[in-house]
Amino acid sequence: MTLTFRKLAATALVILPAILPTAALALDEAQKKEIGEFIKEYLIANPEIMLDVQDALEKKQYEARQQQASAAVGDNKGALFSSEHDISLGNPKGDVTVVEFFDYNCGYCKRALSDMDKILSEDKNVRFVLKEFPILGPDSLAAHKVSYAFRQIAPEKYGEFHRALLGGKGRADEQAALDVAASLGVSEDQIRAKMAASPNDDQVKEAYQLATSLGITGTPSYIVGNEAVFGAIGSEAIEQKLANVRTCGKATC
C-alpha cells in the first residue's frame, strides 16, 4: 500500500462519518464503491486501528457517564451522603466520604470488603457510607431486608453484621442473614417484628433511583467527591481519589 493511498484511506476514515449524509447524495455508485474499497483495504492492512477506535469510544462513553454522575451527585447530596436509610462506618465526622453501593451476593463486593477495611484502618478521617443495593435476585433482596431490620435494632453492631454476611461463604439469603443476626444477639423474632413494622421498601426505592440517576448498573460502585467509580478498583485507587479530594476538591485533579 503506497503512502498516498494510506493517507487517502486514513483521511476517509476520519471525515467519512461527518460527511456521510452529504456524501451519500453527492457520490455516484462507482465512487461510493471505490471509497468503500479504500477503507476496507486500509482496515485489513491495519486492523490495529480498530483498537484505537474502540479505545476512543470507551473514553467518550466514560466521560459522558462521569458527566451524568457528577451532575447527579450535585442533585442528590442529601440522599447520597446523609440518608436516613443508610449507616456509615469509620469517622462520622470525617473530612472525606466514600459511598459504596453493594449487594450481599456480589462476588466483587466480597473481595472489595478488605479494601474498605484497609482504608478505614489506615485513614482515621474517612467516613464510609454503605448503600444497600440488592440487584442480584430474590435472595439478595431477602438478605437486605434482614440487614435493614438488624440495623434499626442494633446499629452499633451493624459493622460486625455487614462484615460477617458479606464475608461469609455461600449465598446470602434470608436464613444466612438471620443466622448472622442471631450470632450477634438479635433473635429471629425481633428481626421479623421489625421487618413487619418497618420494611425496607423506601430504602430500596431510594437506592434504585440514585443508581439510575448516577448511571450505576452494577456493584460495587462508589461515590468519591463528585465522581462515580464503577467496579472494584482496589484500595490504592480509592485512596488516591481520597487524597485528590483533599488536595483539589475533586476525585480526579
Side-chain angles (χ1 to χ4, degrees):
M1 184 181 290
T2 67
L3 182 60
T4 300
F5 179 83
R6 288 171 65 90
K7 287 183 177 180
L8 177 60
T11 301
L13 280 170
V14 173
I15 67 173
L16 190 60
I19 66 171
L20 191 57
T22 302
L25 297 174
L27 301 177
D28 60 32
E29 291 302 317
Q31 291 171 322
K32 293 176 187 177
K33 183 177 180 181
E34 184 178 7
I35 290 177
E37 288 298 323
F38 283 168
I39 295 173
K40 179 180 178 181
E41 289 182 34
Y42 183 79
L43 291 176
I44 290 173
N46 302 273
E48 65 277 5
I49 197 172
M50 298 308 296
L51 297 177
D52 294 335
V53 171
Q54 181 64 29
D55 288 344
L57 175 61
E58 290 177 356
K59 181 179 179 181
K60 184 176 181 179
Q61 290 175 331
Y62 179 80
E63 289 173 350
R65 203 175 179 189
Q66 282 300 337
Q67 288 177 355
Q68 174 189 347
S70 181
V73 169
D75 292 338
N76 296 280
K77 287 185 177 180
L80 278 170
F81 300 110
S82 54
S83 171
E84 63 180 349
H85 300 302
D86 300 331
I87 200 164
S88 64
L89 303 180
N91 187 342
K93 297 182 179 180
D95 66 336
V96 182
T97 297
V98 178
V99 179
E100 179 183 356
F101 287 75
F102 74 96
D103 183 301
Y104 278 120
N105 281 305
C106 165
Y108 292 105
C109 299
K110 290 178 179 294
R111 289 193 282 275
L113 178 60
S114 61
D115 295 332
M116 180 192 74
D117 283 337
K118 180 175 182 293
I119 292 168
L120 290 176
S121 67
E122 296 178 355
D123 188 336
K124 300 305 180 182
N125 205 25
V126 66
R127 174 173 171 261
F128 230 96
V129 173
L130 297 172
K131 184 76 68 176
E132 302 207 17
F133 185 41
I135 58 173
L136 296 177
D139 284 346
S140 289
L141 184 59
H144 280 277
K145 285 181 179 292
V146 174
S147 174
Y148 187 68
F150 180 92
R151 187 189 325 163
Q152 294 176 85
I153 296 168
E156 73 284 356
K157 295 182 179 180
Y158 179 73
E160 294 176 78
F161 176 94
H162 175 74
R163 291 179 174 92
L165 186 57
L166 186 58
K169 296 180 179 180
R171 189 158 182 82
D173 56 14
E174 181 180 79
Q175 190 57 55
L178 287 170
D179 289 344
V180 171
S183 73
L184 294 171
V186 179
S187 70
E188 179 174 341
D189 287 345
Q190 290 175 286
I191 292 290
R192 293 200 180 280
K194 180 58 70 173
M195 286 195 296
S198 181
N200 72 333
D201 298 345
D202 290 342
Q203 177 263 317
V204 172
K205 182 179 179 181
E206 180 181 86
Y208 272 72
Q209 289 174 336
L210 285 171
T212 298
S213 65
L214 291 160
I216 291 173
T217 58
T219 53
S221 290
Y222 304 90
I223 303 299
V224 185
N226 65 329
E227 187 175 305
V229 179
F230 308 105
I233 63 172
S235 60
E236 290 186 5
I238 296 174
E239 287 167 347
Q240 182 59 60
K241 291 186 179 297
L242 293 173
N244 289 344
V245 171
R246 287 169 172 144
T247 300
C248 68
K250 299 185 295 183
T252 300
C253 293

